[in-house]
Amino acid sequence: MVHDDSSTFGEQHGVPCVLMRGGTSKALFFHLRHVPPPGPARDAFLKRAMGTPDPLQIDGMGGSRLVTSKVALIGPSTRPDADVDYTFAQCDVERDLIGYDANCGNISSAVGPFAVDEGLVEAVEPLTVVRIHNTNTGTVLVARVQVRDGKARVTGDCAIAGVPGTGAEILMDYTDTRGAKTGRLLPTGQPVDAIALEDGREVRVSIVDAATPCVFIAAESLGLHGDELPPAIGGDRALIETIGEIQARAGERIGLYAHWRDVHLPGLPLAVIVAPAGHEDSDLRARLVFLGKCHDSMAGTGSICTAAASRVPGTLVHAAAGDRLRGEVLRIGHPLGVMAVKVVAQPGAALPQFTALGLQRTARRLMEGVVYVPAETA
């Protein structure tokens, strides 16, 4: 369990923390009481702890990639229908930025085990249900955590693409996250919108909000096949700038930004490039871009939104999956494999109401200790 005291070490200030893997991401986990209140002091502390901005994050705990430059802040719940509050922070790597406008589905899967191991919830064997209030989106997620001897289990036979080996299954339920940021599954009211770009091109997109807002773009409209790997997408600066413009214009359209020019390579809405599946065991292909970089695999919240969009007739996701849409699972092909998302929608409604929307993840406590930052930062 994390020690409950901060410390001074020479000219540095030490703060207790835990390094955890959640799904295909890693984050520093802090008890809310150990970090500064919201504002510039908190941002400065978190960026210093992570080593941002620096491409290598050599002077901090970050791993030089967006998937390893994440923070989770955990505290007692401020809502009667949840057990813990969880605030997610995304530290940019090369830019002096930290964002709180979205949640990370992969890191969310480590919140339940952290809450169990830290005694924030009563450990019930063999399964502990942890209700998680994500403060970024104002929604409640439910994690079903396997428990043995009072601690979260880590061994099991659940395998997820992008993580070596297997682990104990954690079931994440996102059914309550429809319209997480905007209050509407289709924030514009349309399954497809046309976005005019500065260079005169017009791109058709689907803007959907479940777990987090996403703007879906057909691969062919960007001159892609959908099977490109992250270095090819991230290395094409003109392509990244185009995707960033689409994100910013879509964000303006749904009220995230006053004007699209105010943001450059934004985090929200996540951009998801979709294409029909090839020969792999999937229902469609997806490549996810945020903060100007292509995700190494597939974000948890992005996969939830993709699954929800697949059940909305007329969206680009529904079209990309085509006749592969069957059963209660959407299989999303991403650069490191296939992610399966359970999605069950009530039939007959104009817009689907979901009775199941979730995914399997694994998580593991990697280290606990004290992270040090120069005293003037703390």
Side-chain angles (χ1 to χ4, degrees), residues 211-284:
T212 196
C214 291
V215 54
F216 296 96
I217 314 162
E220 62 181 2
S221 69
L222 297 172
L224 302 175
H225 297 290
D227 59 355
E228 290 81 3
L229 295 179
I233 295 174
D236 187 336
R237 296 316 300 172
L239 174 63
I240 288 295
E241 290 291 336
T242 295
I243 294 171
E245 183 182 346
I246 293 171
Q247 288 176 277
R249 286 181 180 273
E252 178 189 82
R253 190 166 295 191
I254 62 176
L256 299 183
Y257 312 115
H259 194 280
W260 71 272
R261 291 186 186 276
D262 296 339
V263 290
H264 180 242
L265 305 181
L268 285 184
L270 301 178
V272 184
I273 304 165
V274 293
H279 298 294
E280 67 269 26
D281 188 22
S282 64
D283 300 318
L284 80 165

Side-chain angles (χ1 to χ4, degrees), residues 354-368:
F354 300 105
T355 55
L357 188 59
L359 69 162
Q360 297 172 309
R361 297 281 84 186
T362 64
R364 188 166 76 86
R365 189 183 190 92
L366 302 176
M367 185 205 75
E368 70 173 61

Side-chain angles (χ1 to χ4, degrees), residues 181-195:
K181 197 75 174 177
T182 65
R184 303 178 68 187
L185 182 63
L186 294 181
T188 68
Q190 304 294 328
V192 173
D193 289 275
I195 291 184

Side-chain angles (χ1 to χ4, degrees), residues 5-335:
D5 57 334
S6 300
S7 60
T8 300
F9 188 87
E11 296 181 336
Q12 298 201 87
H13 182 71
V15 179
C17 70
V18 171
L19 178 65
M20 294 198 71
R21 175 186 64 79
T24 55
S25 295
K26 286 193 292 188
L28 290 182
F29 275 63
F30 294 96
H31 284 276
L32 196 60
R33 63 180 181 271
H34 290 156
V35 301
R42 174 182 288 184
D43 294 354
F45 165 72
L46 295 180
K47 286 186 284 189
R48 199 69 171 90
M50 200 61 69
T52 289
D54 172 46
L56 296 179
Q57 293 183 318
I58 199 68
D59 199 34
M61 299 298 295
S64 78
R65 308 178 86 143
L66 289 176
V67 294
T68 55
S69 189
K70 300 172 183 282
V71 174
L73 308 175
I74 314 298
S77 178
T78 54
R79 291 174 51 153
D81 58 347
D83 301 305
V84 294
D85 275 5
Y86 149 57
T87 299
F88 170 71
Q90 175 72 62
C91 294
D92 206 317
V93 176
E94 300 178 20
R95 296 183 291 176
D96 188 19
L97 298 173
I98 186 164
Y100 302 94
D101 55 354
N103 181 25
C104 172
N106 279 298
I107 294 306
S108 297
S109 68
V111 174
F114 179 85
V116 170
D117 291 344
E118 293 295 306
L120 297 175
V121 297
E122 181 183 358
V124 178
E125 298 185 28
L127 195 72
T128 299
V129 176
V130 184
R131 301 169 302 166
I132 303 164
H133 169 215
N134 174 238
T135 64
N136 307 80
T137 60
T139 58
V140 175
L141 322 174
V142 178
R144 291 173 172 81
V145 182
Q146 296 184 48
V147 173
R148 176 179 291 173
D149 298 329
K151 300 295 181 185
R153 293 194 62 189
V154 297
T155 58
D157 58 5
C158 180
I160 60 174
V163 179
T166 61
E169 177 191 76
I170 300 167
L171 286 174
M172 298 296 300
D173 183 358
Y174 285 81
T175 307
D176 186 49
T177 64
R178 188 178 187 267
K181 197 75 174 177
T182 65
R184 303 178 68 187
L185 182 63
L186 294 181
T188 68
Q190 304 294 328
V192 173
D193 289 275
I195 291 184
L197 303 181
E198 269 202 304
D199 61 11
R201 284 181 293 166
E202 186 174 88
V203 180
R204 296 172 72 248
V205 302
S206 292
I207 306 173
V208 183
D209 184 5
T212 196
C214 291
V215 54
F216 296 96
I217 314 162
E220 62 181 2
S221 69
L222 297 172
L224 302 175
H225 297 290
D227 59 355
E228 290 81 3
L229 295 179
I233 295 174
D236 187 336
R237 296 316 300 172
L239 174 63
I240 288 295
E241 290 291 336
T242 295
I243 294 171
E245 183 182 346
I246 293 171
Q247 288 176 277
R249 286 181 180 273
E252 178 189 82
R253 190 166 295 191
I254 62 176
L256 299 183
Y257 312 115
H259 194 280
W260 71 272
R261 291 186 186 276
D262 296 339
V263 290
H264 180 242
L265 305 181
L268 285 184
L270 301 178
V272 184
I273 304 165
V274 293
H279 298 294
E280 67 269 26
D281 188 22
S282 64
D283 300 318
L284 80 165
R285 290 172 173 163
R287 300 293 186 263
L288 186 143
V289 176
F290 70 115
L291 294 175
K293 295 179 175 64
C294 183
H295 202 289
D296 294 298
S297 54
M298 185 67 183
T301 51
S303 70
I304 291 292
C305 193
T306 303
S310 75
R311 269 38 182 188
V312 181
T315 65
L316 298 179
V317 182
H318 187 273
D323 60 8
R324 293 191 182 222
L325 282 178
R326 60 178 71 93
E328 298 183 348
V329 173
L330 180 74
R331 302 166 303 168
I332 304 170
H334 59 76

